[in-house]
C-alpha cells in the first residue's frame, strides 16, 4: 500500500505554528508539531521560503474556492453577489491564516513573492 504524502501534515503544522507565533515560526516547531524529520520538510518544500509560498498558495486557493464558486444562475445577479461577498468576508474572518497573511506576513519577501504570483 503506498504511503500518503506528509506534505499536507507539514502544511497544517506550519499554519498552526504561524498562527500561534503571530506570523513567525521556526522550522523545528513545524517538524515537532508534524512529527517529521526536518529533512522531510525540505524534501517537499525545498526551503522555509518554499513552505511559506505553499502556505500562501493554499490560503488563496481556499479563498478562490469561496469567491469563485459555481452557481446555477437561477438567482438574480444581486442576490448571488451579496451571498458571494458575505461568504468571502466570513471566510476572511473565520480563517486564522487570513489575519496572518493579509495582516503583515506579506512583509516577508518570500510571502510577498507568493502573494504577487497569486495576484497575477
Amino acid at each position: 500500500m503506498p504511503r500518503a504524502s506528509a506534505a499536507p501534515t507539514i502544511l497544517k503544522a506550519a499554519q498552526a505554528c504561524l498562527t500561534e507565533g503571530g506570523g513567525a515560526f521556526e522550522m523545528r516547531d513545524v517538524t515537532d508539531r508534524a512529527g517529521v524529520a526536518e529533512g522531510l520538510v525540505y524534501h517537499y518544500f525545498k526551503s522555509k521560503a518554499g513552505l511559506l509560498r505553499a502556505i500562501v498558495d493554499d490560503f488563496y486557493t481556499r479563498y478562490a474556492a469561496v469567491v469563485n464558486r459555481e452557481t446555477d444562475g437561477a438567482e438574480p445577479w444581486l442576490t448571488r453577489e451579496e451571498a458571494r461577498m458575505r461568504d468571502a468576508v466570513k471566510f476572511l474572518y473565520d480563517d486564522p491564516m487570513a489575519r496572518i497573511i493579509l495582516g503583515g506576513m506579506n512583509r516577508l519577501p518570500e510571502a510577498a513573492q507568493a502573494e504577487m504570483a497569486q495576484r497575477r
Side-chain angles (χ1 to χ4, degrees), residues 63-115:
Y63 180 65
V66 171
V67 174
N68 299 323
R69 73 181 182 282
E70 293 282 327
T71 62
D72 62 11
E75 297 174 316
W77 177 85
L78 183 59
T79 304
R80 286 193 318 264
E81 290 308 304
E82 284 177 355
R84 184 189 318 269
M85 293 303 295
R86 225 180 354 266
D87 292 347
V89 170
K90 182 176 181 350
F91 174 87
L92 294 173
Y93 272 98
D94 292 347
D95 191 291
M97 292 312 303
R99 288 182 278 290
I100 302 298
I101 292 172
L102 302 175
M105 191 174 104
N106 59 2
R107 286 185 229 129
L108 297 172
E110 302 87 359
Q113 288 172 350
E115 192 163 343

Side-chain angles (χ1 to χ4, degrees), residues 4-70:
S5 168
T9 301
I10 295 167
L11 191 62
K12 287 198 180 304
Q15 290 167 336
C17 289
L18 268 172
T19 301
E20 291 170 6
F25 70 90
E26 297 296 326
M27 292 297 271
R28 169 60 74 187
D29 297 331
V30 173
T31 58
D32 288 349
R33 183 179 288 263
V36 299
E38 191 168 334
L40 196 57
V41 177
Y42 290 102
H43 168 75
Y44 285 111
F45 301 100
K46 309 298 182 220
S47 65
K48 186 175 182 178
L51 181 54
L52 284 169
R53 278 192 296 278
I55 290 167
V56 172
D57 288 345
D58 176 69
F59 170 78
Y60 279 108
T61 297
R62 291 182 294 107
Y63 180 65
V66 171
V67 174
N68 299 323
R69 73 181 182 282
E70 293 282 327

